[in-house]
Amino acid sequence: MNRIGLGAAILLASTLGALAADLPVKYKAPPPDPWSWNGLYGGINAGYSFGRDTFKQDFNGLPQDPAGRALPTGGVFGGQLGYNWQVGRWVLGLEGDAQWTGQRDRGCGGFECIQNYNDEVGAGLVEHKLEWFTTARARLGLANAGYLLYVTGGGAWAGVRETTTAQLDDSIGSTAVRNVLTGWALGGGIETRLSQNWSVKVEYLHLDFSPTTTTTRLVATGGVGPFDLPNTTYSHVTDNIARVGLNYRLWSTPAAAPLPVDPAAAAWRWTGFYGGLNGGYGVGNTSFKEFKYFDPATPPLPLELTHYVSSFAPQKVSPQGGLAGGQVGYNWQFDHLVVGVEGDAQWSGQKDTACAMSCFTAGGSIETLTQQFNWLATARARVGYADRGYLLYLTAGGAWAEIEESDFFTGSGPSFTSNFKQTKGGWVAGGGIEAWLFGNWTGKIEYLHLDLGTINHSFPTGEVFFTSLGSQSHIRNDIVRVGVNYKLGGG
């Protein structure tokens, strides 16, 4: 009987197993990812900044127009602390940061920037050093597959050391003043989860500070022409920050309804052709010198060092404005490594006019240099790290742009103007982050620095004394832009 019972039990179990095998299998979704953006976080950041300080001087009652430029550039390093609230896919947060910065630059071309053939000097120089800045901002973003696209804005404060110098031959007077500036900050970025409580971000901020007026006395006690004269400098400082940051979630609360991991993001591969559109903002950084040439047939004058009058020190012009264009490229993905090639072409609205050599509005000479970018293009390689639908990458290659320039001079006699266009080539380097959005669409934020080399230009004036004028410029440009791409296929 025991053997019969055991056999019946085995037969029943086998029958039930067979019936169960014929039943449809229900798919069990993976558990939702417990990650959310809720909570307190802190971290560090580092990046590059390119400022634009517009200044005018009133030296002993001689007002200047148009403005001169100082273009502080340099590294930034600091930390941030913030708190996020996540509701569904929307994330609202508050963030504060404090930054050390190594930005500094000296601009010549206030009321005067002249070195004569006999080494006589008449120059007004302004140096701006941005020593620190801090911001307090709100953030609003959309979370998707472990990353966060966001815009941010709020208040900004900065410490600026302004040094003003006047030089008349070998008599030099200088004074330095520290100002705390207030203003606003606006920007955006992409932040993505790395592992555990760690996340990384790529961010752009534009800072705009209230104009300042600094009145000092410039005193020179030595040299051939001692002086003690009042000087007023009117200054407007703006700054552009491109930085990467690393955050650690210090304290968190789980999402009210944690979102499941999107299998499309996990399955996304970057291999293939793509094309898209982009738009952004550019700030040029051109260092130039201006020259007034004498008639080569004229014998050199006593103690003549050079046969022309030139700028005493490099002067600056900073074309800035919007950009719009498109790009095409191809990527190859090998596990987490992505390599690719990309080309782009851009329309540019960047333009600026700055004082050149002398700008006395009270009956003196006025000399200006106007420069603009009409278009630019690049052909670059890309290499990056990919994970869960995002790509962190570096990029470098060749760059080309059409530069248009106008040189203008007027004094007690006739006015002279020269206009020309020139296509220049050079190099470009930068980086960014790109993330899968939906379907075949991705979005990116990117920073590029362009160096286009030197432009030399001279033109005849028809004047008896100064037979020709000229300028020598070194062309650089900094660009921040956002773009969307559509993957056309191939992988």
Side-chain angles (χ1 to χ4, degrees), residues 190-244:
I190 303 177
E191 186 169 0
T192 185
R193 176 189 178 190
L194 290 178
S195 61
Q196 300 301 321
N197 283 358
W198 293 97
S199 62
V200 64
K201 68 175 181 178
V202 175
E203 184 175 66
Y204 164 74
L205 291 179
H206 175 78
L207 312 181
D208 193 312
F209 298 102
S210 298
T212 59
T213 300
T214 303
T215 300
T216 58
R217 297 194 72 85
L218 297 174
V219 180
T221 58
V224 298
F227 55 83
D228 182 352
L229 300 172
N231 177 78
T232 301
T233 302
Y234 307 93
S235 175
H236 181 199
V237 177
T238 61
D239 204 11
N240 299 277
I241 314 297
R243 62 187 182 184
V244 296

Side-chain angles (χ1 to χ4, degrees), residues 16-37:
L16 292 176
L19 291 174
D22 292 335
L23 293 176
V25 177
K26 292 184 178 180
Y27 172 74
K28 184 178 181 181
D33 188 349
W35 172 268
S36 80
W37 294 95

Side-chain angles (χ1 to χ4, degrees), residues 125-441:
L125 301 96
V126 174
E127 181 184 69
H128 280 154
K129 181 179 181 182
L130 190 64
E131 297 181 318
W132 58 266
F133 72 84
T134 184
T135 72
R137 296 168 285 106
R139 298 203 310 172
L140 176 63
L142 184 66
N144 187 25
Y147 62 85
L148 174 67
L149 300 168
Y150 65 89
V151 294
T152 182
W157 299 263
V160 175
R161 178 184 170 92
E162 181 182 287
T163 303
T164 305
T165 302
Q167 181 168 347
L168 301 176
D169 297 337
D170 60 347
S171 300
I172 302 173
S174 183
T175 184
V177 176
R178 278 188 168 90
N179 294 315
V180 176
L181 310 182
T182 61
W184 52 267
L186 185 65
I190 303 177
E191 186 169 0
T192 185
R193 176 189 178 190
L194 290 178
S195 61
Q196 300 301 321
N197 283 358
W198 293 97
S199 62
V200 64
K201 68 175 181 178
V202 175
E203 184 175 66
Y204 164 74
L205 291 179
H206 175 78
L207 312 181
D208 193 312
F209 298 102
S210 298
T212 59
T213 300
T214 303
T215 300
T216 58
R217 297 194 72 85
L218 297 174
V219 180
T221 58
V224 298
F227 55 83
D228 182 352
L229 300 172
N231 177 78
T232 301
T233 302
Y234 307 93
S235 175
H236 181 199
V237 177
T238 61
D239 204 11
N240 299 277
I241 314 297
R243 62 187 182 184
V244 296
L246 184 67
N247 283 325
Y248 184 81
R249 194 167 57 168
L250 301 167
W251 175 79
S252 63
T253 58
L259 297 176
V261 176
D262 192 330
W268 175 261
R269 292 295 178 266
W270 294 93
T271 296
F273 289 100
Y274 64 89
L277 300 174
N278 68 74
Y281 191 74
V283 179
N285 185 327
T286 296
S287 176
F288 72 93
K289 276 193 172 186
E290 191 174 68
F291 301 87
K292 299 178 182 177
Y293 296 97
F294 294 107
D295 183 353
T298 303
L301 299 174
L303 303 178
E304 183 178 64
L305 298 179
T306 55
H307 208 58
Y308 51 79
V309 174
S310 71
S311 303
F312 169 65
Q315 300 165 274
K316 307 295 170 63
V317 65
S318 176
Q320 64 176 358
L323 304 161
Q327 66 275 341
V328 293
Y330 192 92
N331 290 319
W332 294 267
Q333 182 170 352
F334 308 95
D335 195 16
H336 290 293
L337 176 67
V338 176
V339 294
V341 291
E342 182 174 287
D344 63 80
Q346 309 280 139
W347 164 86
S348 172
Q350 294 179 250
K351 185 176 181 179
D352 188 34
T353 298
C355 173
M357 199 173 290
S358 64
C359 298
F360 293 101
T361 58
S365 64
I366 297 177
E367 300 168 61
T368 64
L369 186 143
T370 300
Q371 199 172 87
Q372 67 185 66
F373 290 82
N374 291 330
W375 58 262
L376 58 93
T378 73
R380 295 168 286 107
R382 300 202 309 173
V383 58
Y385 175 83
D387 188 29
R388 290 194 299 271
Y390 68 84
L391 172 66
L392 294 165
Y393 65 88
L394 298 174
T395 183
W400 300 265
E402 182 181 77
I403 311 298
E404 185 171 352
E405 184 174 303
S406 177
D407 298 88
F408 172 79
F409 168 79
T410 184
S412 57
S415 300
F416 307 101
T417 303
S418 176
N419 301 296
F420 74 96
K421 295 180 182 179
Q422 185 171 346
T423 299
K424 289 291 296 179
W427 58 267
V428 59
I433 185 169
E434 189 168 357
W436 173 78
L437 298 176
F438 57 86
N440 278 12
W441 291 95

Side-chain angles (χ1 to χ4, degrees), residues 52-76:
R52 187 175 190 267
D53 300 349
T54 300
F55 66 87
K56 291 184 179 182
Q57 291 182 292
D58 188 328
F59 182 66
N60 196 32
L62 293 174
Q64 167 202 349
D65 192 52
R69 301 280 186 266
L71 305 174
T73 60
V76 298

